[in-house]
Amino acid sequence: MPYRPPANRLLFENEHTRVWEMLVPPGESFPMHSHEYPYLSLAMESPAALILVEEDGTERRLELEAGAVVWGNVPDVHAVKNVGATTFRNRLVEFKGV
């Protein structure tokens, strides 16, 4: 699968890190994408109810409160479905060279 950006908007990048913003309104999805680097996902608002759809079609449900931090290793390919009542907003911090 070709590399697709892991979030909606790149906020910051230097030689060590990238910081992205992801916004997914209720009932919407962020398409299948791959993570190029290990990352932290930081939930900015709560509650967040998500389903991660893995590359093989399996689904994993996440319930997150504001401030929750999730670690992700590579390779990691998934889509994000917002099944909650509020917009999912997070910051994704990728660590280059890890």
Coordinates of all heavy atoms in Angstrom, one line a residue:
M1 N 0.8 -1.2 0.0 CA 0.0 0.0 0.0 C 0.9 1.2 0.0 O 1.8 1.4 0.8 CB -0.9 0.0 1.3 CG -1.6 1.3 1.5 SD -2.4 1.3 3.1 CE -3.9 1.9 2.7
P2 N 0.6 2.2 -0.9 CA 1.4 3.4 -0.9 C 1.2 4.2 0.4 O 0.1 4.1 1.0 CB 0.9 4.2 -2.1 CG -0.3 3.4 -2.6 CD -0.4 2.1 -1.9
Y3 N 2.2 5.0 0.8 CA 2.1 5.8 2.0 C 1.0 6.9 1.8 O 1.0 7.6 0.8 CB 3.4 6.4 2.3 CG 3.4 7.3 3.5 CD1 3.3 6.8 4.8 CD2 3.4 8.7 3.4 CE1 3.2 7.6 5.9 CE2 3.3 9.5 4.5 CZ 3.2 8.9 5.7 OH 3.2 9.8 6.9
R4 N 0.1 7.0 2.7 CA -0.9 8.1 2.8 C -0.7 8.8 4.1 O -0.4 8.1 5.1 CB -2.3 7.5 2.7 CG -2.7 6.9 1.4 CD -4.2 6.5 1.5 NE -4.5 5.8 0.3 CZ -5.6 5.0 0.2 NH1 -6.4 4.9 1.2 NH2 -5.8 4.4 -0.9
P5 N -0.8 10.1 4.1 CA -0.7 10.8 5.4 C -1.6 10.2 6.4 O -2.7 9.9 6.2 CB -1.1 12.2 5.0 CG -0.8 12.3 3.5 CD -1.1 11.0 3.0
P6 N -1.1 10.2 7.7 CA -1.8 9.5 8.8 C -2.9 10.4 9.4 O -3.5 10.0 10.4 CB -0.7 9.1 9.7 CG 0.3 10.2 9.5 CD 0.3 10.5 8.1
A7 N -3.0 11.7 9.0 CA -4.0 12.6 9.6 C -4.3 13.7 8.6 O -3.8 13.7 7.5 CB -3.4 13.2 10.9
N8 N -5.2 14.6 9.0 CA -5.7 15.6 8.1 C -4.7 16.7 7.7 O -4.7 17.1 6.6 CB -7.0 16.3 8.7 CG -8.1 15.3 9.0 OD1 -8.0 14.8 10.1 ND2 -9.0 15.1 8.1
R9 N -4.0 17.1 8.7 CA -3.1 18.3 8.5 C -1.8 18.2 9.2 O -1.8 17.9 10.4 CB -3.9 19.5 9.0 CG -3.2 20.9 8.7 CD -4.2 22.0 8.9 NE -4.7 22.1 10.3 CZ -4.4 23.1 11.1 NH1 -3.8 24.2 10.7 NH2 -4.9 23.1 12.3
L10 N -0.7 18.5 8.5 CA 0.6 18.5 9.2 C 0.8 19.9 9.8 O 0.6 20.9 9.2 CB 1.7 18.3 8.1 CG 3.1 18.3 8.6 CD1 3.4 17.1 9.5 CD2 4.1 18.3 7.4
L11 N 1.0 19.8 11.2 CA 1.2 21.1 11.9 C 2.6 21.5 12.1 O 2.9 22.7 12.3 CB 0.6 20.9 13.3 CG -0.9 20.6 13.4 CD1 -1.4 20.3 14.8 CD2 -1.8 21.7 12.7
F12 N 3.5 20.5 12.2 CA 5.0 20.8 12.5 C 5.8 19.6 12.0 O 5.4 18.5 12.0 CB 5.1 20.9 14.0 CG 6.6 21.1 14.4 CD1 7.2 22.3 14.4 CD2 7.3 20.0 14.9 CE1 8.6 22.4 14.7 CE2 8.6 20.1 15.2 CZ 9.3 21.3 15.2
E13 N 7.0 19.9 11.5 CA 7.9 18.9 11.1 C 9.4 19.4 11.2 O 9.7 20.6 10.8 CB 7.7 18.4 9.7 CG 8.7 17.3 9.3 CD 8.3 16.7 7.9 OE1 7.5 17.3 7.2 OE2 8.9 15.6 7.6
N14 N 10.2 18.6 11.8 CA 11.7 18.8 11.8 C 12.4 17.5 11.5 O 11.7 16.5 11.2 CB 12.2 19.6 13.0 CG 12.0 18.7 14.3 OD1 11.9 17.5 14.3 ND2 12.1 19.4 15.4
E15 N 13.7 17.4 11.8 CA 14.4 16.2 11.4 C 14.1 15.0 12.4 O 14.4 13.9 12.1 CB 15.9 16.4 11.4 CG 16.5 16.9 12.7 CD 16.5 18.4 13.0 OE1 15.8 19.1 12.2 OE2 17.1 18.8 13.9
H16 N 13.4 15.3 13.6 CA 13.1 14.3 14.6 C 11.7 13.9 14.7 O 11.4 12.8 15.0 CB 13.6 14.8 16.0 CG 15.0 15.3 16.0 ND1 16.0 14.4 15.9 CD2 15.5 16.5 16.1 CE1 17.2 15.0 16.0 NE2 16.9 16.3 16.1
T17 N 10.8 14.8 14.4 CA 9.4 14.6 14.6 C 8.5 15.2 13.5 O 8.9 16.1 12.8 CB 8.9 15.1 16.0 OG1 9.1 16.5 16.0 CG2 9.6 14.5 17.2
R18 N 7.2 14.7 13.5 CA 6.2 15.3 12.7 C 5.0 15.3 13.7 O 4.7 14.4 14.4 CB 5.7 14.4 11.5 CG 6.6 14.6 10.3 CD 5.9 13.9 9.2 NE 6.9 13.3 8.3 CZ 6.6 12.3 7.5 NH1 5.5 11.8 7.4 NH2 7.6 11.9 6.7
V19 N 4.2 16.4 13.6 CA 3.0 16.6 14.4 C 1.8 16.8 13.5 O 1.9 17.8 12.7 CB 3.1 17.7 15.5 CG1 1.8 17.8 16.3 CG2 4.3 17.5 16.4
W20 N 0.8 16.0 13.6 CA -0.4 16.0 12.8 C -1.6 16.3 13.6 O -1.7 16.0 14.8 CB -0.6 14.7 12.1 CG 0.5 14.2 11.2 CD1 1.6 13.5 11.5 CD2 0.5 14.4 9.8 NE1 2.3 13.2 10.4 CE2 1.7 13.8 9.3 CE3 -0.3 15.0 8.8 CZ2 2.1 13.7 8.0 CZ3 0.1 15.0 7.5 CH2 1.2 14.4 7.1
E21 N -2.6 16.9 12.9 CA -3.9 17.0 13.5 C -4.9 16.1 12.8 O -4.9 16.1 11.5 CB -4.4 18.5 13.4 CG -5.8 18.6 13.9 CD -6.3 20.1 13.8 OE1 -6.4 20.5 12.6 OE2 -6.6 20.7 14.8
M22 N -5.7 15.4 13.5 CA -6.7 14.6 12.9 C -8.1 15.0 13.4 O -8.2 15.2 14.6 CB -6.6 13.1 13.2 CG -7.7 12.2 12.6 SD -7.6 10.5 12.9 CE -6.5 10.0 11.6
L23 N -9.0 15.3 12.5 CA -10.4 15.6 12.9 C -11.3 14.7 12.1 O -11.2 14.6 10.9 CB -10.7 17.1 12.5 CG -9.9 18.2 13.1 CD1 -10.2 19.5 12.4 CD2 -10.2 18.3 14.6
V24 N -12.2 14.0 12.9 CA -13.1 13.1 12.2 C -14.5 13.4 12.9 O -14.7 13.1 14.1 CB -12.8 11.6 12.4 CG1 -13.7 10.7 11.7 CG2 -11.3 11.4 12.0
P25 N -15.4 14.0 12.1 CA -16.7 14.3 12.7 C -17.5 13.0 13.0 O -17.2 12.0 12.5 CB -17.4 15.1 11.5 CG -16.3 15.6 10.7 CD -15.2 14.6 10.8
P26 N -18.5 13.2 13.9 CA -19.4 12.0 14.2 C -19.9 11.3 12.9 O -20.4 12.0 12.0 CB -20.5 12.6 15.0 CG -20.0 13.9 15.6 CD -19.0 14.4 14.5
G27 N -19.9 10.0 12.9 CA -20.4 9.3 11.8 C -19.5 9.2 10.6 O -19.8 8.6 9.6
E28 N -18.4 9.9 10.6 CA -17.5 10.0 9.4 C -16.3 9.1 9.7 O -16.1 8.6 10.8 CB -17.0 11.4 9.2 CG -18.1 12.4 9.1 CD -18.4 12.8 7.7 OE1 -17.4 12.8 6.9 OE2 -19.5 13.1 7.4
S29 N -15.5 8.9 8.6 CA -14.3 8.0 8.7 C -13.1 8.8 8.1 O -13.2 9.6 7.3 CB -14.5 6.7 7.9 OG -15.5 6.0 8.5
F30 N -11.9 8.4 8.6 CA -10.6 8.8 8.0 C -10.2 7.5 7.2 O -10.1 6.5 7.8 CB -9.6 9.2 9.0 CG -8.4 9.8 8.4 CD1 -8.4 11.2 8.0 CD2 -7.3 9.1 8.2 CE1 -7.3 11.7 7.4 CE2 -6.1 9.6 7.6 CZ -6.1 11.0 7.2
P31 N -9.8 7.7 5.9 CA -9.5 6.5 5.1 C -8.3 5.7 5.6 O -7.5 6.1 6.3 CB -9.3 7.1 3.7 CG -9.0 8.5 3.9 CD -9.6 8.9 5.2
M32 N -8.3 4.5 5.0 CA -7.1 3.6 5.2 C -5.8 4.3 5.0 O -5.7 5.0 4.0 CB -7.3 2.4 4.3 CG -6.4 1.2 4.7 SD -6.7 0.4 6.2 CE -8.3 -0.3 5.9
H33 N -4.9 4.2 5.9 CA -3.6 4.9 5.8 C -2.6 4.1 6.5 O -2.9 3.2 7.3 CB -3.7 6.3 6.4 CG -4.1 6.3 7.8 ND1 -5.4 6.2 8.3 CD2 -3.4 6.4 9.0 CE1 -5.5 6.2 9.6 NE2 -4.3 6.4 10.0
S34 N -1.3 4.5 6.2 CA -0.2 3.8 6.9 C 0.6 4.8 7.7 O 0.7 5.9 7.4 CB 0.7 3.1 5.8 OG 1.2 4.0 4.9
H35 N 1.2 4.3 8.8 CA 2.1 5.1 9.6 C 3.5 4.7 9.2 O 3.9 3.6 9.3 CB 1.8 4.8 11.1 CG 0.5 5.3 11.5 ND1 0.4 6.6 12.0 CD2 -0.7 4.8 11.5 CE1 -0.9 6.8 12.3 NE2 -1.6 5.7 12.0
E36 N 4.3 5.7 8.9 CA 5.6 5.6 8.4 C 6.6 5.5 9.6 O 7.7 4.8 9.5 CB 6.0 6.8 7.6 CG 7.3 6.7 6.8 CD 7.5 7.9 5.9 OE1 6.8 8.9 6.0 OE2 8.4 7.8 5.1
Y37 N 6.2 6.1 10.7 CA 7.1 6.1 11.9 C 6.3 5.7 13.1 O 5.1 5.9 13.2 CB 7.7 7.5 12.1 CG 8.4 8.1 11.0 CD1 7.9 9.1 10.2 CD2 9.7 7.6 10.7 CE1 8.6 9.6 9.1 CE2 10.4 8.1 9.6 CZ 9.9 9.1 8.8 OH 10.6 9.6 7.7
P38 N 7.0 5.2 14.2 CA 6.3 5.0 15.5 C 5.7 6.3 15.9 O 6.2 7.4 15.6 CB 7.4 4.6 16.4 CG 8.5 4.1 15.6 CD 8.4 4.9 14.3
Y39 N 4.6 6.3 16.7 CA 3.9 7.5 17.0 C 3.1 7.4 18.3 O 2.9 6.3 18.9 CB 2.9 7.8 15.9 CG 1.8 6.8 15.7 CD1 0.6 6.9 16.4 CD2 2.0 5.7 14.9 CE1 -0.4 6.0 16.2 CE2 1.0 4.7 14.8 CZ -0.2 4.9 15.5 OH -1.2 3.9 15.3
L40 N 2.8 8.6 18.8 CA 1.9 8.8 19.9 C 0.6 9.5 19.4 O 0.7 10.4 18.6 CB 2.5 9.7 21.0 CG 3.6 9.1 21.9 CD1 4.1 10.2 22.8 CD2 3.1 7.9 22.7
S41 N -0.5 9.0 19.8 CA -1.8 9.6 19.4 C -2.4 10.2 20.7 O -2.5 9.5 21.7 CB -2.7 8.6 18.8 OG -4.0 9.2 18.6
L42 N -2.6 11.5 20.8 CA -3.1 12.2 22.0 C -4.5 12.7 21.7 O -4.7 13.6 20.9 CB -2.2 13.4 22.3 CG -0.7 13.0 22.5 CD1 0.1 13.5 21.4 CD2 -0.3 13.4 23.9
A43 N -5.5 12.2 22.5 CA -6.9 12.6 22.3 C -7.0 14.0 22.9 O -6.6 14.3 24.0 CB -7.8 11.6 23.0
M44 N -7.6 14.9 22.2 CA -7.8 16.3 22.6 C -9.1 16.6 23.2 O -9.3 17.6 23.9 CB -7.5 17.2 21.4 CG -6.2 17.0 20.7 SD -4.8 17.3 21.8 CE -4.9 19.1 21.9
E45 N -10.2 15.8 22.9 CA -11.5 16.0 23.4 C -12.1 14.7 23.8 O -11.7 13.7 23.4 CB -12.4 16.7 22.4 CG -11.9 18.1 22.0 CD -12.7 18.7 20.9 OE1 -13.9 18.3 20.7 OE2 -12.2 19.6 20.2
S46 N -13.1 14.8 24.7 CA -13.8 13.5 25.1 C -15.3 13.8 25.2 O -15.7 14.9 25.3 CB -13.2 13.0 26.4 OG -13.4 13.9 27.4
P47 N -16.0 12.7 25.1 CA -15.5 11.3 24.9 C -15.3 11.1 23.5 O -15.9 11.8 22.6 CB -16.7 10.5 25.4 CG -17.9 11.3 25.2 CD -17.5 12.8 25.4
A48 N -14.5 10.1 23.1 CA -14.2 9.7 21.8 C -14.5 8.2 21.7 O -14.0 7.4 22.5 CB -12.8 10.0 21.4
A49 N -15.4 7.8 20.7 CA -15.7 6.4 20.5 C -15.3 6.1 19.0 O -15.9 6.7 18.1 CB -17.2 6.1 20.7
L50 N -14.3 5.3 18.9 CA -13.7 5.0 17.6 C -13.7 3.5 17.3 O -13.6 2.7 18.2 CB -12.3 5.5 17.5 CG -12.0 6.9 17.9 CD1 -10.5 7.2 18.0 CD2 -12.7 7.9 16.9
I51 N -13.7 3.2 16.0 CA -13.4 1.8 15.6 C -12.3 1.9 14.6 O -12.3 2.7 13.6 CB -14.6 1.2 14.9 CG1 -15.8 0.9 15.9 CG2 -14.2 -0.2 14.2 CD1 -17.0 0.4 15.3
L52 N -11.2 1.2 14.9 CA -10.0 1.1 14.0 C -10.3 -0.1 13.1 O -10.5 -1.2 13.7 CB -8.7 1.0 14.8 CG -8.3 2.2 15.7 CD1 -7.0 1.9 16.3 CD2 -8.4 3.5 14.9
V53 N -10.3 0.1 11.8 CA -10.4 -1.0 10.9 C -9.0 -1.3 10.3 O -8.4 -0.5 9.7 CB -11.4 -0.6 9.7 CG1 -11.5 -1.8 8.8 CG2 -12.7 -0.2 10.3
E54 N -8.5 -2.5 10.7 CA -7.2 -3.0 10.3 C -7.2 -3.3 8.8 O -8.2 -3.5 8.2 CB -6.8 -4.1 11.1 CG -6.8 -3.9 12.6 CD -5.9 -2.8 13.2 OE1 -4.9 -2.5 12.5 OE2 -6.2 -2.3 14.2
E55 N -6.0 -3.4 8.2 CA -5.8 -3.7 6.8 C -6.5 -5.0 6.4 O -7.1 -5.2 5.3 CB -4.3 -3.8 6.5 CG -4.0 -3.8 5.1 CD -2.5 -3.7 4.8 OE1 -1.7 -4.1 5.7 OE2 -2.1 -3.2 3.7
D56 N -6.6 -6.0 7.4 CA -7.2 -7.3 7.1 C -8.7 -7.3 7.3 O -9.4 -8.3 7.2 CB -6.6 -8.4 7.8 CG -6.8 -8.3 9.3 OD1 -7.5 -7.4 9.8 OD2 -6.2 -9.2 10.1
G57 N -9.3 -6.1 7.7 CA -10.7 -6.0 7.9 C -11.2 -6.2 9.4 O -12.3 -5.9 9.7
T58 N -10.3 -6.6 10.2 CA -10.7 -6.8 11.6 C -10.9 -5.4 12.3 O -10.3 -4.4 11.8 CB -9.6 -7.5 12.5 OG1 -8.4 -6.9 12.4 CG2 -9.5 -9.0 12.0
E59 N -11.7 -5.3 13.3 CA -12.1 -4.0 13.9 C -11.7 -4.1 15.4 O -11.8 -5.1 16.0 CB -13.6 -3.7 13.7 CG -14.0 -3.6 12.3 CD -15.4 -3.2 12.1 OE1 -16.2 -3.2 13.2 OE2 -15.8 -2.8 11.0
R60 N -11.3 -2.9 15.8 CA -10.9 -2.7 17.3 C -11.6 -1.5 17.7 O -11.4 -0.4 17.2 CB -9.4 -2.7 17.4 CG -8.9 -2.5 18.8 CD -7.4 -2.8 18.9 NE -6.6 -2.1 17.9 CZ -5.8 -1.1 18.2 NH1 -5.6 -0.7 19.4 NH2 -5.1 -0.5 17.2
R61 N -12.3 -1.5 18.8 CA -13.0 -0.4 19.4 C -12.2 0.3 20.4 O -11.6 -0.4 21.2 CB -14.4 -0.8 20.0 CG -15.2 0.4 20.4 CD -16.6 0.0 20.8 NE -17.4 1.1 21.2 CZ -18.2 1.8 20.5 NH1 -18.5 1.4 19.3 NH2 -18.9 2.8 21.0
L62 N -12.2 1.6 20.4 CA -11.5 2.4 21.4 C -12.4 3.5 22.0 O -13.2 4.1 21.2 CB -10.3 3.2 20.7 CG -9.1 2.4 20.2 CD1 -8.1 3.4 19.5 CD2 -8.4 1.7 21.3
E63 N -12.4 3.6 23.3 CA -13.1 4.6 24.0 C -12.0 5.5 24.7 O -11.3 5.0 25.5 CB -14.0 4.0 25.0 CG -15.0 3.0 24.5 CD -16.3 3.7 23.9 OE1 -16.5 4.9 24.2 OE2 -17.0 3.0 23.1
L64 N -12.0 6.8 24.3 CA -10.9 7.6 24.8 C -11.4 8.9 25.5 O -12.4 9.4 25.0 CB -10.0 8.1 23.7 CG -9.3 7.0 22.8 CD1 -8.6 7.6 21.6 CD2 -8.3 6.2 23.7
E65 N -10.8 9.3 26.6 CA -11.1 10.5 27.2 C -10.0 11.6 26.8 O -8.9 11.2 26.4 CB -11.1 10.3 28.7 CG -12.2 9.4 29.3 CD -13.6 9.9 29.0 OE1 -13.8 11.2 29.1 OE2 -14.4 9.1 28.7
A66 N -10.3 12.8 27.0 CA -9.3 13.9 26.7 C -8.1 13.6 27.4 O -8.1 13.3 28.6 CB -9.9 15.2 27.0
G67 N -6.9 13.7 26.8 CA -5.6 13.5 27.4 C -5.1 12.1 27.3 O -4.0 11.8 27.6
A68 N -6.0 11.2 26.8 CA -5.5 9.8 26.6 C -4.4 9.7 25.6 O -4.4 10.5 24.6 CB -6.7 8.9 26.2
V69 N -3.4 8.8 25.8 CA -2.3 8.7 24.9 C -2.3 7.2 24.5 O -2.3 6.3 25.3 CB -1.0 9.1 25.6 CG1 0.2 8.8 24.7 CG2 -1.0 10.5 26.1
V70 N -2.1 7.0 23.2 CA -2.0 5.7 22.6 C -0.7 5.6 21.8 O -0.4 6.5 21.0 CB -3.2 5.4 21.7 CG1 -3.1 4.0 21.0 CG2 -4.5 5.5 22.4
W71 N 0.1 4.6 22.1 CA 1.3 4.3 21.4 C 1.1 3.4 20.1 O 0.3 2.5 20.2 CB 2.4 3.6 22.3 CG 3.6 3.3 21.5 CD1 4.0 2.0 21.1 CD2 4.7 4.1 21.1 NE1 5.2 2.0 20.5 CE2 5.7 3.3 20.5 CE3 4.9 5.5 21.2 CZ2 6.8 3.9 20.0 CZ3 6.1 6.0 20.7 CH2 7.0 5.2 20.1
G72 N 1.7 3.8 19.0 CA 1.6 2.9 17.8 C 2.9 2.6 17.2 O 3.8 3.5 17.1
N73 N 3.1 1.3 16.9 CA 4.3 0.9 16.3 C 4.1 0.7 14.8 O 2.9 0.6 14.3 CB 4.8 -0.5 16.8 CG 5.4 -0.4 18.2 OD1 6.3 0.4 18.4 ND2 5.0 -1.2 19.1
V74 N 5.1 0.6 14.0 CA 5.0 0.4 12.6 C 5.4 -1.1 12.3 O 6.2 -1.6 13.1 CB 5.9 1.3 11.7 CG1 5.3 2.7 11.8 CG2 7.3 1.4 12.2
P75 N 4.9 -1.7 11.3 CA 3.9 -1.2 10.4 C 2.6 -1.1 11.0 O 2.2 -2.0 11.9 CB 3.9 -2.2 9.2 CG 4.4 -3.5 9.9 CD 5.3 -3.1 11.0
D76 N 1.8 -0.1 10.7 CA 0.5 0.1 11.2 C -0.4 0.7 10.1 O -0.1 1.8 9.7 CB 0.5 1.0 12.4 CG -0.8 1.0 13.2 OD1 -1.7 0.3 12.8 OD2 -0.9 1.9 14.1
V77 N -1.3 -0.1 9.6 CA -2.2 0.3 8.6 C -3.7 0.2 9.1 O -4.0 -0.9 9.5 CB -2.0 -0.5 7.3 CG1 -3.0 -0.1 6.2 CG2 -0.6 -0.4 6.8
H78 N -4.4 1.2 9.0 CA -5.8 1.2 9.5 C -6.6 2.4 9.0 O -6.0 3.4 8.6 CB -5.9 1.1 11.0 CG -5.3 2.2 11.7 ND1 -4.0 2.1 12.3 CD2 -5.7 3.5 11.9 CE1 -3.7 3.3 12.8 NE2 -4.7 4.1 12.6
A79 N -7.9 2.3 9.1 CA -8.8 3.4 8.9 C -9.5 3.7 10.3 O -9.4 2.9 11.2 CB -9.9 3.1 7.9
V80 N -10.0 4.9 10.4 CA -10.6 5.3 11.7 C -12.1 5.7 11.5 O -12.3 6.6 10.6 CB -9.8 6.5 12.3 CG1 -10.5 7.0 13.6 CG2 -8.4 6.2 12.5
K81 N -13.0 5.1 12.2 CA -14.4 5.4 12.1 C -14.8 6.1 13.4 O -14.5 5.5 14.5 CB -15.3 4.2 12.0 CG -15.2 3.5 10.6 CD -16.2 2.3 10.7 CE -16.1 1.4 9.5 NZ -17.0 0.3 9.6
N82 N -15.4 7.2 13.3 CA -15.9 7.9 14.5 C -17.4 7.4 14.8 O -18.3 7.8 14.0 CB -15.9 9.4 14.4 CG -16.3 10.1 15.6 OD1 -16.9 9.5 16.5 ND2 -16.0 11.4 15.7
V83 N -17.6 6.6 15.8 CA -18.9 6.1 16.1 C -19.5 6.8 17.3 O -20.6 6.4 17.8 CB -18.9 4.5 16.3 CG1 -18.5 3.8 15.0 CG2 -18.0 4.1 17.4
G84 N -18.9 7.9 17.7 CA -19.4 8.6 18.8 C -20.2 9.8 18.4 O -20.5 10.0 17.2
A85 N -20.6 10.6 19.4 CA -21.5 11.8 19.2 C -20.7 13.1 19.0 O -21.3 14.1 18.8 CB -22.5 11.9 20.3
T86 N -19.4 13.0 19.2 CA -18.6 14.3 19.2 C -17.5 14.1 18.1 O -17.1 13.0 17.8 CB -17.9 14.6 20.5 OG1 -17.1 13.5 20.9 CG2 -19.0 14.8 21.6
T87 N -17.0 15.2 17.7 CA -15.8 15.2 16.7 C -14.6 14.6 17.4 O -14.3 15.0 18.5 CB -15.5 16.6 16.2 OG1 -16.7 17.1 15.4 CG2 -14.3 16.6 15.3
F88 N -14.0 13.6 16.7 CA -12.7 13.1 17.2 C -11.6 14.1 16.8 O -11.4 14.4 15.6 CB -12.4 11.7 16.7 CG -11.1 11.2 17.1 CD1 -10.7 11.0 18.4 CD2 -10.2 10.9 16.1 CE1 -9.4 10.6 18.7 CE2 -8.9 10.4 16.4 CZ -8.6 10.2 17.7
R89 N -10.9 14.6 17.8 CA -9.8 15.5 17.5 C -8.5 15.0 18.3 O -8.6 14.7 19.5 CB -10.1 16.9 18.0 CG -9.0 18.0 17.8 CD -9.4 19.3 18.5 NE -10.8 19.7 18.2 CZ -11.1 20.6 17.2 NH1 -10.2 21.0 16.4 NH2 -12.3 20.9 17.1
N90 N -7.4 14.8 17.5 CA -6.2 14.4 18.2 C -5.0 15.0 17.6 O -5.1 15.7 16.6 CB -6.1 12.8 18.2 CG -5.5 12.3 16.9 OD1 -5.5 12.9 15.9 ND2 -4.9 11.1 17.0
R91 N -3.9 14.8 18.3 CA -2.6 15.2 17.8 C -1.8 13.9 17.7 O -1.8 13.1 18.6 CB -1.8 16.1 18.7 CG -2.5 17.5 18.9 CD -2.5 18.3 17.6 NE -3.0 19.6 17.8 CZ -4.2 20.0 17.7 NH1 -5.2 19.0 17.4 NH2 -4.6 21.2 17.8
L92 N -1.2 13.7 16.6 CA -0.4 12.5 16.3 C 1.0 13.0 16.2 O 1.4 13.8 15.3 CB -0.9 11.9 14.9 CG -0.2 10.7 14.5 CD1 -0.7 9.5 15.3 CD2 -0.6 10.4 13.0
V93 N 1.9 12.4 17.0 CA 3.3 12.8 17.0 C 4.1 11.6 16.6 O 4.1 10.6 17.2 CB 3.8 13.2 18.5 CG1 5.3 13.6 18.4 CG2 2.9 14.4 19.0
E94 N 4.7 11.8 15.4 CA 5.6 10.7 14.8 C 7.0 10.9 15.2 O 7.5 12.1 15.2 CB 5.5 10.7 13.3 CG 4.1 10.4 12.8 CD 4.1 10.4 11.2 OE1 4.5 11.4 10.6 OE2 3.7 9.4 10.7
F95 N 7.7 9.8 15.5 CA 9.1 9.9 15.8 C 10.0 9.3 14.7 O 10.0 8.1 14.5 CB 9.4 9.2 17.1 CG 8.6 9.7 18.3 CD1 7.3 9.2 18.6 CD2 9.0 10.8 19.0 CE1 6.6 9.7 19.6 CE2 8.3 11.4 20.0 CZ 7.1 10.8 20.3
K96 N 10.7 10.2 14.0 CA 11.5 9.8 12.9 C 12.8 9.1 13.4 O 13.3 9.5 14.5 CB 11.9 10.9 12.0 CG 10.8 11.7 11.4 CD 11.3 12.9 10.6 CE 10.3 13.6 9.9 NZ 10.8 14.7 9.1
G97 N 13.3 8.1 12.8 CA 14.5 7.5 13.1 C 14.5 6.6 14.4 O 15.5 6.3 14.9
V98 N 13.3 6.3 14.8 CA 13.2 5.4 16.0 C 13.1 4.0 15.6 O 12.5 3.6 14.6 CB 11.9 5.8 16.8 CG1 11.7 4.8 17.9 CG2 12.1 7.2 17.4

